[in-house]
């Protein structure tokens, strides 16, 4: 036998029946996004490496050590493209809106779903291919859009049956306010240089704010005693923050101020926020985002404000499981039992007609050269499929132009459990009765 092959470390297959939970979540997201008038955007998975260096920032975990990058084979001019598999989608969205001049007629509300790639140490809630769903509102400056995005996320948790989360918010102010804080932060960190780890020492002058985002528990004390950015904000930044809080309060969305919240990416200003839970161990952030008013200009576009968030699909699904919230199991409405292979052309015609009428039908299929298999084994498969009905295409029934419909589960009385013969020349007359909920 040939040697068995395995998936890449940190990259997972999503298999049935679990994949049904993914589809269920994605369906809920699509419906909700439509209610908030957010439109779908799909950007390529591969982008020029430069996009992420400029978009995410050079001194960040992602750009320093987590990107899957490679040099493409040269094209006919001998140029090599440096390409990267997207580690996040905001930079790509900003590129796309700039490239297509999408803000020419006003702001845009967009959402995306898809795989992202980061070379991190795989563990629960942290994978090398993982999936994000994100929402971005571009071209809007006021706190009402920050609030709308947070309300949208909170509505999603409700739709998904999640209650075990809390919202942390902070404001990073504007660049001038940050510069003043930065000087005092560096002074504080220098004073405690002996308590900093190697990475923090390296970032002390290139990106000290990022040190507040450390996951190293040994640095907890020095980070907690650091000067708070929120104390450096001027009246305009505070007014924006107050505007957000007033809307959240009016809508009953509880929040806590976390002055240490800075986010792992460089591009944020003013509002930043995270939805966190204690039920997923170390990887407790299920959704994170904030305002990035300078990114579009920095990426070569006409400057415009923007705000957005991204949620981790694996973590959200894990939390749903953890909370025991119900997701719908999937099963076909009916299973087609086919005793004799000679009947298959007629059977498939009938199944096509049923499916066109909205009935989901699983067809019995042979697994080897010995035909369709015994009735007993076919009924076992029918039961295992979870279908509520078996459609038995026996020779005697087919000779009369009929099919036997047999309830497999959920039938309340003996009559309903018996076989009912239904005509094949008028499938519409009885198809609806097979549909779940129909
Ligand atoms: P963390 O602090 O957990 O590393 P992050 O700040 O790097 O997260 P973002 O870049 O803001 O995360 O991504 C938004 C969300 O995507 C996170 O809150 C998380 O739910 C999810 N996420 C990020 N990285 C991973 C990963 N490697 N595996 C699974 N989910 C992830
Ligand atoms: Mg990270």
């Amino acid at each position: 036998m040939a040697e068995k092959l395995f998936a890449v470390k940190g990259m997972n297959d999503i298999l049935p029946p679990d994949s049904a939970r993914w589809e269920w979540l994605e369906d809920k997201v699509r419906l909700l996004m439509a209610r908030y008038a957010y439109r779908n955007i799909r950007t390529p998975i591969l982008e020029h490496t430069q996009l992420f260096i400029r978009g995410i920032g050079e001194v960040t975990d992602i750009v320093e050590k987590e990107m899957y990058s490679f040099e493409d084979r040269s094209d006919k001019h001998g140029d090599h493209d440096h390409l990267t598999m997207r580690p996040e989608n905001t930079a790509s969205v900003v590129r796309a809106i700039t490239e297509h001049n999408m803000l020419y007629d006003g702001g845009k509300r967009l959402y995306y779903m898809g795989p992202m790639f980061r070379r991190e140490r795989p563990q629960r809630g942290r994978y090398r291919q993982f999936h994000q769903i994100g929402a971005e509102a571009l071209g809007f400056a006021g706190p009402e859009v920050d609030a709308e995005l947070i309300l949208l996320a909170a509505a999603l948790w409700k739709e998904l049956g999640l209650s075990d989360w809390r919202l942390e918010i902070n404001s990073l102010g504007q660049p001038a306010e940050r510069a003043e804080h930065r000087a005092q932060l560096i002074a504080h960190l220098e004073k405690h240089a002996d308590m900093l780890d190697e990475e923090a020492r390296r970032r002390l002058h290139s990106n000290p704010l990022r040190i507040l985002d450390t996951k190293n528990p040994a640095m907890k004390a020095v980070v907690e005693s650091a000067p708070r950015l929120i104390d450096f904000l001027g009246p305009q930044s505070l007014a924006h923050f107050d505007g957000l809080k007033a809307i959240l309060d009016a809508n009953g969305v509880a929040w806590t101020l976390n002055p240490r919240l800075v986010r792992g990416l460089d591009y944020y200003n003013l509002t930043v926020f995270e939805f966190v839970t204690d039920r997923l161990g170390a990887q407790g952030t299920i959704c994170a985002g904030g305002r990035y008013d300078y990114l579009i200009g920095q990426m070569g576009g006409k400057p415009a404000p923007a705000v957005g968030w991204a949620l981790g699909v694996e973590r959200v699904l894990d939390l749903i499981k953890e909370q025991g919230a119900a997701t719908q199991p999937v099963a076909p409405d009916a299973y087609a039992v086919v005793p004799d292979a000679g009947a298959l052309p007629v059977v498939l015609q009938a199944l096509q007609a049923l499916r066109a009428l909205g009935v989901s039908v699983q067809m019995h299929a042979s697994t080897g050269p010995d035909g369709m298999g015994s009735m007993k084994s076919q009924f076992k498969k029918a039961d295992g499929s979870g279908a509520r009905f078996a459609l038995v295409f026996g020779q005697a029934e087919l000779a009369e132009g009929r099919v036997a419909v047999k309830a497999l589960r959920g039938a309340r009385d003996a009559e309903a459990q018996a076989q009912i013969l239904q005509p094949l020349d008028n499938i519409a007359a009885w198809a609806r009765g097979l549909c779940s909920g129909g």
Side-chain angles (χ1 to χ4, degrees):
M1 278 236 284
E3 204 188 325
K4 216 168 146 181
L5 298 168
F6 297 92
V8 175
K9 184 178 167 191
M11 307 203 176
N12 301 309
D13 297 310
I14 298 153
L15 310 172
D18 203 41
S19 53
R21 302 175 65 238
W22 286 69
E23 291 187 309
W24 169 85
L25 183 148
E26 289 159 6
D27 287 347
K28 298 242 174 222
V29 168
R30 287 195 183 95
L31 284 173
L32 200 63
M33 291 294 176
R35 266 188 240 154
Y36 285 76
Y38 281 65
R39 307 295 174 219
N40 187 228
I41 180 168
R42 303 172 190 220
T43 62
I45 284 171
L46 281 180
E47 296 273 1
H48 294 288
T49 302
Q50 201 54 37
L51 173 72
F52 301 115
I53 295 179
R54 270 168 64 185
I56 298 171
E58 221 147 347
V59 190
T60 55
D61 282 349
I62 293 178
V63 172
E64 279 182 345
K65 51 193 186 198
E66 296 175 359
M67 294 206 299
Y68 284 97
S69 300
F70 64 97
E71 202 168 272
D72 202 4
R73 267 180 273 187
S74 56
D75 61 21
K76 49 181 183 282
H77 308 292
D79 296 330
H80 296 276
D81 279 333
H82 292 269
L83 303 180
T84 294
M85 298 176 70
R86 64 182 187 198
E88 55 99 53
N89 212 347
T90 300
S92 312
V93 167
V94 167
R95 178 199 51 69
I97 65 119
T98 302
E99 183 168 338
H100 305 290
N101 195 24
M102 283 172 68
L103 299 184
Y104 80 98
D105 62 347
K108 291 284 172 295
R109 292 173 165 90
L110 304 171
Y111 80 94
Y112 59 82
M113 326 192 190
M116 309 296 157
F117 303 84
R118 297 183 193 177
R119 204 174 185 295
E120 307 195 66
R121 190 168 69 77
Q123 54 197 290
R124 183 183 184 187
R126 199 174 288 287
Y127 311 98
R128 292 181 168 180
Q129 175 172 335
F130 63 100
H131 298 76
Q132 286 185 338
I133 293 170
E136 317 273 3
L138 306 114
F140 305 104
E144 66 275 16
V145 189
D146 310 25
E148 174 181 275
L149 278 159
I150 290 174
L151 293 175
L152 166 52
L156 180 60
W157 311 143
K158 192 165 177 212
E159 280 288 317
L160 300 176
L162 291 178
S163 54
D164 219 327
W165 52 267
R166 61 179 191 280
L167 169 65
E168 297 187 349
I169 59 175
N170 192 21
S171 176
L172 301 182
Q174 299 292 9
E177 294 155 350
R178 266 151 85 161
E180 207 176 313
H181 167 257
R182 183 190 152 107
Q184 296 203 22
L185 177 61
I186 292 177
H188 169 83
L189 294 171
E190 274 175 340
K191 209 165 66 196
H192 302 281
D194 52 317
M195 291 169 76
L196 303 182
D197 61 17
E198 197 197 306
E199 186 179 73
R201 268 187 221 135
R202 195 158 39 77
R203 289 178 174 178
L204 184 53
H205 293 278
S206 57
N207 201 341
L209 199 59
R210 206 75 321 136
I211 297 173
L212 300 181
D213 194 34
T214 181
K215 292 189 175 72
N216 182 355
M219 284 172 42
K220 197 166 181 239
V222 64
V223 159
E224 280 184 358
S225 58
R228 307 176 343 151
L229 183 45
I230 193 97
D231 298 327
F232 291 75
L233 300 193
Q236 264 193 324
S237 293
L238 287 173
H240 187 102
F241 202 32
D242 289 342
L244 167 66
K245 292 189 247 182
I247 297 173
L248 294 181
D249 290 343
N251 284 277
V253 176
W255 50 269
T256 53
L257 173 70
N258 176 357
R260 242 61 64 183
L261 184 64
V262 295
R263 307 286 312 112
L265 312 176
D266 254 0
Y267 47 57
Y268 291 107
N269 71 302
L270 291 175
T271 311
V272 287
F273 56 87
E274 290 192 355
F275 288 91
V276 290
T277 177
D278 295 324
R279 299 189 70 147
L280 295 179
Q283 272 59 250
T285 304
I286 53 171
C287 176
R291 191 161 264 290
Y292 50 96
D293 293 337
Y294 302 98
L295 185 61
I296 298 175
Q298 187 184 308
M299 305 291 283
K302 186 164 166 259
V307 52
W309 53 246
L311 66 82
V313 178
E314 285 84 354
R315 292 185 196 178
V316 168
L317 286 171
D318 196 5
L319 183 57
I320 291 172
K321 220 178 232 169
E322 216 32 66
Q323 273 200 209
T327 56
Q328 221 106 79
V330 279
D333 295 320
Y335 190 99
V337 171
V338 190
D340 173 24
L344 282 168
V346 178
V347 171
L348 268 86
Q349 243 186 316
L351 300 191
Q352 290 299 87
L354 283 164
R355 289 163 179 156
L357 291 162
V359 183
S360 74
V361 195
Q362 185 171 333
M363 174 186 70
H364 187 78
S366 62
T367 55
D370 302 328
M372 303 302 287
S374 69
M375 286 287 271
K376 192 174 161 212
S377 73
Q378 290 201 36
F379 268 102
K380 223 171 133 186
K381 283 271 187 325
D383 260 329
S385 76
R388 286 178 306 122
F389 297 98
L391 309 176
V392 188
F393 290 90
Q395 254 172 335
E397 291 91 344
L398 286 176
E400 295 170 18
R402 300 204 281 190
V403 59
V405 179
K406 189 175 180 334
L408 294 173
R409 42 172 62 75
R412 251 163 261 139
D413 48 47
E415 194 196 351
Q417 273 173 29
Q419 299 200 145
I420 300 172
L421 291 175
Q422 297 286 13
L424 289 174
D425 60 1
N426 190 4
I427 285 178
W430 51 276
R432 190 144 307 158
L434 302 182
C435 295
S436 38

